[in-house]
């Protein structure tokens, strides 16, 4: 028997890893070297590029003041800092409160004295049977919290005296006698909602906890990108969506609570003092923040687990489903073919993210099916399509003569398919199959859109805590390489094992006396 | 043994088989010949139902195999088929190609199947290739294996669909000799082929197919030596011709010479004879017949018979008669004088059309 561990392959992997490290060092240089350009007045920004977070609508505050400015949209605050440092934008817009946290991590950031405006944040309420009650209870509670200075105290604790290491959210005493509420939070948005020690916390989480304690709910938190919160809530997938800027347009289409926090919006530029740690000092601090602090490596492990689960399950079920559908359609059953063609057309025509969001918010919108399961369903369907196509191509590549010859000998239709056609088709489609598996692994990186904490999403969340891009992104890239390496290796093994022309003569003649 | 009744096969834009009625007896060796596209292969493929007949019935040993409930797979085990493109199973070794159908379909043990396969491999002279894969063998070898695979099933009849058409000329012989050996041992066979000599020597019946059916049937002697019907005759003698009509003074003779070139290359006619014919044609038509009338009307037919090795030139024309011997071209006259050239000059009195003069010339190679 051959050893499963392939020494040659291991050697290859090691040399590849060394190459990657060298590449990383090169990539890291520009990241740790800062560019400079002085901006001190708001009007200087007219005609410049300004970064703003998708779906927060802060840019509307500047339309009149800076008519010639253009806006770039980013999903996470962290990305805006990176963009500013890479000179892709001249400034970015952020809430005053978040700025203090960012400043602690990036001393070279500076704010303009004049704020862009004041934003009010409310809670968008889910489009389901709880809507009326929640709206009433939330408004009631916000009034009460204002009156009893709870909001003021929370602001003091989370914003003015915020300490990333010490501030804690009290999630105790949530009995849930009146049921659960599903709450969508950004999750990468310190100090409002972020993940600390693997648990959600921050101002928003604190507020939700207090509200739920008052009314006897048990909250379930979902980390969702900002731009997906409103659609998810509108689909009734979540009961509450936190930290949504109140605007007239939004109030027309969605049900929103009163403001539970107000905050000045600042413009941030480069120009603070410089970080005087050396290159290696910065690297090791960055490494510590990314992996060691709060045991964040555990998050990476969990994310890897989710990504692997989605990939393996989708490949497995997708292969079975694609095969089953092919068997049904193989002999030209008209109805089956029409239906299959329709689904192929539908699934092939949609970008992965859109397809997943449709499944999550619309098709399974009213069910309690979690994001991970929806992802498995979605990718299973996508892989089944690929499998079906591969089987067509592979089986068509086997000459018509093979089928005719076997049928003429007396093989039945299915005997002919399984004994003659399929073994030969496998040789044609397995190399494509291998590529499809790798493609699938990479495509799973979008599941963060439907609140799945996969590897990419974890890296986003960690980045939003550390405000560092290098280690989270590199770690993520390497893990993806390893996962696809292992999957590819396994498919190759299967390919070799089932290749009939690679059999030894003894195996062909097993159990036969040859005189 | 096999009886076809009113067998008909239609495709969307063609009807290769209109109404076939024929009986194949035990021990028959039947050659099916005819021009391409006349349904020879379709007939064969209908018999083992690889093509579903549009209508009509097929009986095998008295059982109607076109009936609805008939188990086609069981019937096919009794009918072997050998294809033009061999169709050996590419993922299996030679020995498995012959063993596996016996194991899967006849329920034989591995050992029995192996013994039978080895015996057949020796018969076709390829025992040493048992563990090779099909793509490692030459076309002729593959076809011999395909025959062995069919024989391993002990069929009652073997259908050969152009078994040597895809082979190099050098490999045709080895495959034909295997088939000849089978024919001698009394296996019932039906062979679609373009090899006339082979068909003639091996079979006891010949079907000539055309016009959507078996156009003429007979013993090899009847079909190859005395075909009674016109199309058969034309096919057997391989007569095909070039035809032209001259109806104006500015007829372009270069067309004829170009086509003549291709025609002679295709049929391997010597250049010398071709140029003699062209010379005669130009002398007769361009220099004489076309000069005599203001609006000439001349029909020309050029034909070559492979069988009798004669190149023919037929000319029919309207108007006044011209005697070739009156020509003043000495070269032409010397051609006429040669032993290998024959000329007939006639005035047709009761012509059914108005072409009342005819000249026919024969160019032979040797006496």
């Amino acid at each position: 028997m051959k050893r499963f561990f392939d020494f040659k392959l291991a050697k290859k992997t090691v040399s590849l890893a060394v190459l990657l490290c060298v590449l990383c060092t090169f990539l890291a240089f520009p990241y740790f070297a800062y560019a400079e350009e002085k901006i001190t007045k708001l009007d200087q920004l007219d005609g410049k590029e300004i970064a703003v977070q998708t779906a927060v609508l802060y840019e509307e505050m500047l339309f009149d003041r800076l008519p010639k400015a253009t806006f770039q949209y980013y999903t996470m605050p962290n990305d805006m800092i990176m963009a500013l440092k890479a000179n892709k934008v001249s400034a970015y817009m952020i809430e005053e409160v978040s700025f203090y946290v960012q400043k602690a991590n990036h001393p070279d950031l500076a704010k303009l004295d004049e704020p862009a405006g004041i934003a009010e944040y409310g809670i968008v309420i889910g489009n389901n049977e709880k809507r009326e009650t929640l709206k009433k209870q939330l408004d009631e509670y916000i009034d009460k919290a204002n009156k009893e200075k709870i909001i003021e105290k929370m602001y003091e604790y989370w914003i003015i005296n915020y300490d990333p290491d010490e501030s804690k959210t009290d999630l105790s005493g949530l009995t849930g006698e009146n049921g659960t509420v599903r709450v969508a939070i950004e999750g990468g948005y310190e100090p409002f909602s972020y993940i600390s020690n693997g648990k959600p916390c921050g101002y928003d989480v604190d507020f939700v906890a207090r509200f739920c304690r008052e009314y006897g709910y048990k909250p379930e938190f979902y980390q969702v990108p900002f731009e997906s919160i409103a659609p998810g809530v509108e689909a009734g997938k979540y009961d509450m969506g936190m930290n949504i800027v109140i605007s007239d347009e939004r109030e027309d289409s969605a049900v929103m609570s009163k403001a539970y926090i107000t905050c000045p919006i600042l413009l941030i530029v480069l120009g603070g003092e410089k970080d005087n740690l050396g290159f290696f000092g910065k690297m090791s601090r960055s490494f510590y923040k990314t992996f060691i602090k709060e045991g964040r490596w555990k998050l990476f492990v969990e994310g890897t687990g989710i990504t692997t689960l989605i990939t393996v399950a989708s490949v497995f079920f997708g292969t079975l489903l694609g095969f089953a559908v092919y068997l049904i359609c193989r002999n030209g059953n008209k109805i089956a073919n029409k239906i299959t063609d329709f689904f192929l057309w539908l699934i092939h025509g949609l970008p992965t993210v859109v397809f997943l969001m449709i499944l999550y918010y619309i098709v399974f919108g009213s069910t309690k099916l979690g994001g991970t399961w929806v992802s498995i369903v979605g990718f299973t369907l996508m892989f089944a399509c690929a499998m079906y196509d591969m089987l067509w191509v592979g089986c068509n590549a086997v000459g018509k003569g093979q089928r005719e010859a076997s049928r003429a000998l007396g093989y039945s239709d299915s005997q002919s398919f399984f004994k003659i056609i399929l073994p030969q088709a496998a040789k044609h489609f397995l190399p494509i199959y291998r590529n499809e598996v790798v493609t699938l692994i990479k495509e799973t990186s979008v599941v963060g859109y439907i609140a799945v904490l996969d590897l990419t999403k974890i890296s986003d969340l960690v980045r939003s805590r550390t405000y560092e891009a290098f280690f989270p992104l590199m770690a993520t890239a390497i893990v993806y390489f390893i996962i696809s390496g292992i999957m590819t290796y396994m498919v190759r093994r299967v390919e070799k094992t089932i290749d009939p022309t690679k059999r030894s003569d003894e195996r062909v003649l097993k159990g036969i006396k040859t005189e | 043994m096999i009886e076809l009744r009113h067998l008909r096969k239609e495709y969307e834009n063609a009807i290769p088989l209109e109404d076939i009625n024929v009986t194949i007896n035990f021990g028959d060796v039947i050659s099916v010949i005819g021009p391409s596209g006349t349904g020879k292969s379709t007939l064969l493929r209908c018999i083992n139902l690889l093509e579903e007949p549009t209508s009509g019935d097929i009986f095998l040993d008295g059982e109607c195999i076109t009936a609805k409930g008939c188990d086609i797979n069981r019937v096919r085990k009794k009918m072997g088929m050998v294809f033009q493109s061999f169709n050996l199973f590419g993922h299996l070794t030679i020995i498995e190609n012959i063993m596996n159908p016996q194991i899967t379909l006849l329920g034989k043990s591995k050992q029995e199947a192996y013994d039978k396969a080895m015996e057949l491999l020796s018969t076709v002279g390829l025992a040493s290739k048992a563990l090779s894969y099909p793509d490692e063998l030459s076309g002729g070898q593959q076809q011999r294996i395909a025959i062995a695979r069919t024989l391993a099933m002990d069929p009652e009849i073997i259908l050969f669909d152009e078994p040597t058409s895809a082979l190099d000329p050098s490999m045709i012989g080895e495959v034909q000799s295997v088939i000849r050996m089978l024919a001698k041992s009394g296996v019932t066979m039906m062979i679609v082929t373009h090899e006339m000599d082979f068909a003639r020597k091996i079979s006891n019946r010949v079907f000539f197919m055309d016009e959507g059916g078996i156009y003429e049937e007979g013993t090899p002697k009847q079909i190859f030596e005395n075909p009674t019907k016109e199309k058969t005759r034309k096919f057997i003698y391989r007569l095909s011709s070039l035809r032209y009509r001259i109806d104006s003074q500015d007829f372009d003779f270069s067309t004829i010479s170009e086509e003549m070139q291709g025609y002679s290359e295709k049929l391997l006619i010597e250049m010398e004879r071709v140029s003699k014919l062209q010379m005669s044609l130009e002398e007769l038509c361009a220099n004489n017949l076309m000069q005599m009338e203001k609006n000439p009307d001349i029909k020309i037919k050029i034909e070559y018979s492979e069988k009798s090795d004669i190149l023919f030139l037929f000319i029919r024309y309207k108007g006044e008669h011209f005697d070739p011997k009156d020509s003043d071209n000495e070269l032409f006259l010397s051609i006429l004088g040669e032993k290998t050239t024959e000329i007939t000059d006639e005035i047709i009195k009761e012509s059914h059309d108005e072409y009342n003069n005819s000249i026919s010339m024969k160019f032979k190679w040797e006496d």
Side-chain angles (χ1 to χ4, degrees), chain A residues 155-218:
Chain A
Y155 196 86
E156 215 164 283
Y157 182 77
W158 284 108
I159 314 288
I160 299 173
N161 299 323
Y162 175 65
D163 179 341
D165 298 323
E166 294 302 319
S167 297
K168 293 270 163 358
T169 308
D170 178 17
L171 285 174
S172 65
L174 295 162
T175 45
E177 67 267 22
N178 292 331
T180 55
V181 284
R182 287 164 294 165
V183 183
I185 54 173
E186 214 286 338
Y189 192 46
E190 216 173 341
F192 292 102
S193 59
Y194 59 96
I195 306 296
S196 176
N197 292 313
K199 279 196 183 129
C201 63
Y203 183 100
D204 288 350
V205 180
D206 196 3
F207 180 84
V208 171
R210 284 164 197 269
F211 166 74
C212 287
R213 219 173 278 127
E214 182 96 3
Y215 289 92
Y217 290 120
K218 189 173 167 54

Side-chain angles (χ1 to χ4, degrees), chain A residues 37 52 79 84 90 179 182 221 238 260 281 399 421 438 441:
Chain A
E37 197 196 340
V52 65
D79 297 331
L84 181 67
S90 305
R182 287 164 294 165
F221 290 100
Y238 315 114
Y260 70 102
I421 308 296
V438 174
I441 296 169

Side-chain angles (χ1 to χ4, degrees), chain A residues 292-309:
Chain A
I292 314 291
K293 202 169 167 193
E294 293 179 5
R296 285 179 188 145
W297 60 273
K298 284 185 220 150
L299 292 178
F300 279 99
V301 172
E302 279 164 29
T304 307
I306 293 287
T307 296
T308 312
L309 171 72

Side-chain angles (χ1 to χ4, degrees), chain B residues 193-212:
Chain B
T193 183
H194 289 292
E195 307 284 333
M196 293 306 143
D197 275 344
F198 176 63
R200 185 175 185 170
K201 282 177 197 149
I202 194 175
S203 43
N204 66 337
R205 291 167 77 187
V206 177
F207 294 172
F208 176 80
M209 294 198 56
D210 207 331
E211 294 187 350

Side-chain angles (χ1 to χ4, degrees), chain A residues 402 404 407 500 503 513, chain B residues 45 76 88 96 111 133:
Chain A
Q402 296 286 315
E404 281 189 348
R407 294 308 307 273
R503 291 170 306 163
K513 271 181 266 158
Chain B
R45 295 162 61 85
R76 283 189 182 135
L88 294 178
E96 287 170 305
Q111 188 67 48
Y133 283 90

Side-chain angles (χ1 to χ4, degrees), chain A residues 121-290:
Chain A
Y121 303 88
I123 299 163
V124 57
I125 300 165
N127 186 6
N128 55 32
E129 71 286 350
K130 293 187 203 149
R131 185 182 251 183
E132 297 292 310
T133 332
L134 275 177
K135 161 88 178 148
K136 225 176 97 204
Q137 291 172 342
L138 278 169
D139 284 350
E140 200 177 278
Y141 184 73
I142 290 166
D143 283 342
K144 183 182 162 198
N146 273 320
K147 213 184 280 166
E148 292 175 12
K149 313 232 166 188
I150 295 173
I151 292 209
E152 203 175 299
K153 275 182 212 149
M154 278 174 63
Y155 196 86
E156 215 164 283
Y157 182 77
W158 284 108
I159 314 288
I160 299 173
N161 299 323
Y162 175 65
D163 179 341
D165 298 323
E166 294 302 319
S167 297
K168 293 270 163 358
T169 308
D170 178 17
L171 285 174
S172 65
L174 295 162
T175 45
E177 67 267 22
N178 292 331
T180 55
V181 284
R182 287 164 294 165
V183 183
I185 54 173
E186 214 286 338
Y189 192 46
E190 216 173 341
F192 292 102
S193 59
Y194 59 96
I195 306 296
S196 176
N197 292 313
K199 279 196 183 129
C201 63
Y203 183 100
D204 288 350
V205 180
D206 196 3
F207 180 84
V208 171
R210 284 164 197 269
F211 166 74
C212 287
R213 219 173 278 127
E214 182 96 3
Y215 289 92
Y217 290 120
K218 189 173 167 54
E220 263 170 27
F221 290 100
Y222 294 84
Q223 281 92 38
V224 184
F226 258 126
E227 64 269 31
S228 304
I229 292 182
V233 168
E234 208 40 52
K237 200 83 197 168
Y238 315 114
D239 302 317
M240 288 157 62
M242 302 304 290
N243 218 305
I244 302 298
V245 178
I246 298 174
S247 75
D248 297 341
E249 201 181 337
R250 276 217 172 105
E251 292 208 297
D252 283 347
S253 61
V255 174
M256 296 210 47
S257 75
K258 291 181 178 169
Y260 70 102
I261 182 167
T262 55
C263 179
I265 306 302
L266 301 181
L267 280 153
I268 311 301
V269 295
L270 286 178
E273 48 207 91
K274 279 199 175 158
D275 199 339
N276 35 23
L277 263 179
F279 176 74
F280 287 103
K282 275 184 204 161
M283 285 291 262
S284 64
R285 184 183 67 187
S286 169
F287 185 84
Y288 172 78
K289 281 203 286 186
T290 303

Side-chain angles (χ1 to χ4, degrees), chain A residues 401-402 404-413 415 419-420 423-424 500-503 505 507-514, chain B residues 45 48 50 73 76-77 79 81 83 87-93 95-96 99-101 104-105 110-111 114 131 133 149 153:
Chain A
Q402 296 286 315
E404 281 189 348
S406 54
R407 294 308 307 273
L409 279 165
Y411 281 82
S412 70
D413 181 52
Q415 280 172 329
K419 287 181 189 285
I420 307 297
Q424 298 187 67
T501 60
K502 295 259 157 65
R503 291 170 306 163
D505 291 353
R507 228 180 106 198
V508 172
L509 295 178
K510 211 173 132 198
I512 295 171
K513 271 181 266 158
T514 54
Chain B
R45 295 162 61 85
N48 73 351
L50 275 185
N73 299 325
R76 283 189 182 135
K77 286 179 207 169
M79 296 201 258
M81 184 152 190
F83 296 83
N87 296 342
L88 294 178
F89 303 137
H91 62 303
L92 299 176
T93 56
I95 191 83
E96 287 170 305
M99 282 165 64
N100 287 11
T104 310
L105 303 171
K110 243 183 149 180
Q111 188 67 48
Y114 175 80
L131 290 169
Y133 283 90
R149 178 175 70 179
M153 300 292 291

